[in-house]
Amino acid sequence: MDKRKIILSLLGVVLIVGAIFGAKAIIDSKEQPKPNIQKTVKTVFVDTVQNSSIAIKIPANGNLVAKDRVELYAEVQGVFRYSSQDFKAGQAYQRGQTLLKIDAAEYEASVQSAKSELYNQITAIMPDLRLDYPEIFPKWQEYLNNLDVNSSIPPLPEPANDKERYFISGRGINSAYFNIKNLEQRLVKYRITAPFNGVLTEALVTEGTLIRNGQKLGEFIDPEVYELQVSIGKQYADLLKVDEKVSLTDNSGNRSYEGKVSRINARIDQATQTVNVFIEVAAEGLKEGMYMQANLDARNEENAIEIDRSLVNDRNEIFTVQDSVLKTIEVKPVYFSDRKVVIKGVPDGEVIITRQVSGAYNGMPVKIAEENNTADTAASSDSNSESKVQ
């Protein structure tokens, strides 16, 4: 029984080994087909270089601010009593109209009291003038007759000599006069008038409001002329000139305006290393606070070209096409904008790619797109379109 099991086991092993060798022989005898390797050649769009003079435009942006603007503050205290128009934002005023009048009845009474005191002082010296200085008595008599406590005080008569000057000063006439002039100057501050034709853009008080000294009352602007403050790099500051024309566009880009450089700050911001440039613009439809984009003409760069900035790698190289193969050449970037770059160092007649190629490398075989391709073909096959060759 044991011998039979041994024989069967040996037969099983022999069959298994034979099956393995047989399967291997069958596999080895099968013919291996050659793989069909496809070679990929990318199609590129190119252009022939022709160096020329490139105008470098510096983009800048900012918000419009009225060139003539006044922040209204109270220098006295009292109740807001009167305005020529409704003292509300958006209300227009003509030059000289009353923006705001504060109740000054109590203060006016004190000014009239001071004028009356001066009148009494001059009256008291008239007898002495008649006796001791009869030659100057008439002009002081005339001044006294014209002195009205309800009107602005007129200038004192000019002294004819030192005796008259000493006499008048010794009686306190000059001190009383200048005290009244000081009171009258302060009385003017109870009424604020429009310094120019303009619009009230901010109103912080209404009629009947108690106004305190130093309180802000509102803002008043001239809506005809605005200024745009922009910041540009210090390297371009010396290239700009006052009165230079500037092209402006609004936030939507639908409307264009023409301004001019009105001022250039002589100080460089230490944090940003930029210079503030002020552009004056006047046109219908402009509002304070409107966002504007400006393009300032900095300079013309000779013997240069302008290409998409994505075509220049971090080693300042671009790809050219030579004998259907990509080659890199080193260039000198002169100016970078948001999308474009101005470069120098590319010889005339050099063929460069105009659209970025994914996975591009030095020595990569490419196919140049035919010049007679239609716009539809270019749209359907992008810059990375491929041509497969068996």
Side-chain angles (χ1 to χ4, degrees):
M1 187 69 176
D2 293 335
K3 185 182 288 188
R4 184 182 177 189
K5 289 182 179 180
I6 294 171
I7 294 172
L8 292 174
S9 299
L10 291 174
L11 289 174
V13 171
V14 171
L15 290 174
I16 292 172
V17 172
I20 292 173
F21 279 101
K24 187 175 184 304
I26 294 172
I27 292 172
D28 292 340
S29 65
K30 186 177 181 181
E31 184 179 355
Q32 293 288 344
K34 292 184 178 181
N36 186 12
I37 301 175
Q38 293 181 340
K39 184 179 179 182
T40 301
V41 178
K42 294 189 176 182
T43 301
V44 295
F45 295 88
V46 299
D47 192 13
T48 303
V49 171
Q50 182 61 49
N51 287 281
S52 61
S53 178
I54 304 296
I56 295 180
K57 293 183 178 291
I58 306 172
N61 53 68
N63 297 93
L64 291 180
V65 177
K67 184 178 181 180
D68 295 325
R69 59 181 295 111
V70 177
E71 291 187 350
L72 306 176
Y73 284 90
E75 297 184 69
V76 294
Q77 180 172 316
V79 178
F80 179 9
R81 291 300 188 193
Y82 171 76
S83 177
S84 297
Q85 309 287 345
D86 291 335
F87 194 80
K88 296 179 180 179
Q91 181 63 57
Y93 288 83
Q94 298 297 313
R95 179 174 182 172
Q97 282 190 310
T98 300
L99 291 172
L100 186 143
K101 189 175 188 304
I102 300 173
D103 188 0
E106 181 178 351
Y107 194 81
E108 286 177 346
S110 65
V111 175
Q112 289 179 340
S113 175
K115 290 178 182 178
S116 297
E117 182 64 26
L118 176 63
Y119 185 90
N120 293 336
Q121 287 179 277
I122 296 176
T123 302
I125 66 170
M126 294 304 290
D128 294 334
L129 290 177
R130 182 189 293 271
L131 294 175
D132 299 334
Y133 306 96
E135 67 281 4
I136 64 173
F137 175 80
K139 67 178 181 182
W140 282 97
Q141 181 65 53
E142 182 181 2
Y143 181 83
L144 191 62
N145 293 337
N146 294 330
L147 186 60
D148 184 2
V149 295
N150 296 316
S151 302
S152 179
I153 188 169
L156 292 175
E158 287 292 332
N161 48 50
D162 291 340
K163 288 184 178 180
E164 180 183 356
R165 182 181 295 108
Y166 298 152
F167 179 81
I168 296 301
S169 297
R171 299 300 180 94
I173 303 299
N174 287 332
S175 297
Y177 168 78
F178 288 113
N179 179 58
I180 295 172
K181 293 298 291 184
N182 181 53
L183 295 176
E184 286 183 338
Q185 288 295 321
R186 188 165 182 81
L187 182 62
V188 172
K189 297 177 181 180
Y190 281 84
R191 178 174 176 263
I192 301 175
T193 59
F196 44 77
N197 297 342
V199 176
L200 195 67
T201 58
E202 184 180 27
L204 302 178
V205 293
T206 57
E207 291 190 29
T209 302
L210 175 61
I211 296 173
R212 302 187 182 279
N213 188 8
Q215 180 180 347
K216 186 176 181 179
L217 309 175
E219 290 185 4
F220 186 73
I221 70 166
D222 179 1
E224 299 295 328
V225 183
Y226 294 91
E227 278 191 336
L228 178 69
Q229 178 181 336
V230 297
S231 299
I232 65 170
K234 64 178 182 179
Q235 64 270 30
Y236 302 110
D238 57 340
L239 303 175
L240 297 175
K241 297 180 181 179
V242 175
D243 293 332
E244 183 176 339
K245 301 297 182 182
V246 180
S247 175
L248 302 172
T249 56
D250 60 11
N251 193 25
S252 63
N254 296 327
R255 300 191 63 180
S256 298
Y257 306 90
E258 185 179 276
K260 66 177 181 179
V261 177
S262 59
R263 290 176 288 131
I264 301 175
N265 199 342
R267 176 176 174 269
I268 295 177
D269 190 297
Q270 294 183 357
T272 61
Q273 290 296 291
T274 57
V275 176
N276 288 331
V277 177
F278 298 86
I279 303 168
E280 184 177 313
V281 56
E284 292 185 3
L286 297 178
K287 301 290 183 183
E288 186 172 67
M290 183 182 292
Y291 179 87
M292 300 291 285
Q293 179 80 25
N295 290 309
L296 299 109
D297 294 327
R299 69 170 184 263
N300 290 335
E301 192 66 46
E302 302 296 333
N303 297 320
I305 62 172
E306 186 178 40
I307 62 174
D308 194 298
R309 65 179 298 167
S310 63
L311 299 176
V312 181
N313 62 24
D314 55 359
R315 296 184 298 275
N316 291 335
E317 295 174 340
I318 65 171
F319 282 104
T320 65
V321 180
Q322 299 177 11
D323 299 328
S324 299
V325 175
L326 290 184
K327 298 290 184 182
T328 57
I329 62 171
E330 188 173 351
V331 297
K332 178 184 178 183
V334 177
Y335 172 72
F336 285 93
S337 64
D338 292 340
R339 298 181 180 178
K340 299 290 184 177
V341 58
V342 178
I343 60 175
K344 303 184 71 171
V346 184
D348 286 338
E350 194 76 52
V351 179
I352 65 173
I353 64 173
T354 57
R355 301 186 188 179
Q356 193 174 16
V357 179
S358 62
Y361 58 89
N362 204 358
M364 177 181 178
V366 293
K367 177 184 177 182
I368 297 176
E370 296 295 333
E371 294 182 0
N372 58 358
N373 282 351
T374 62
D376 293 337
T377 304
S380 61
S381 58
D382 61 10
S383 61
N384 297 332
S385 63
E386 300 177 350
S387 172
K388 295 184 178 179
V389 180
Q390 298 294 333

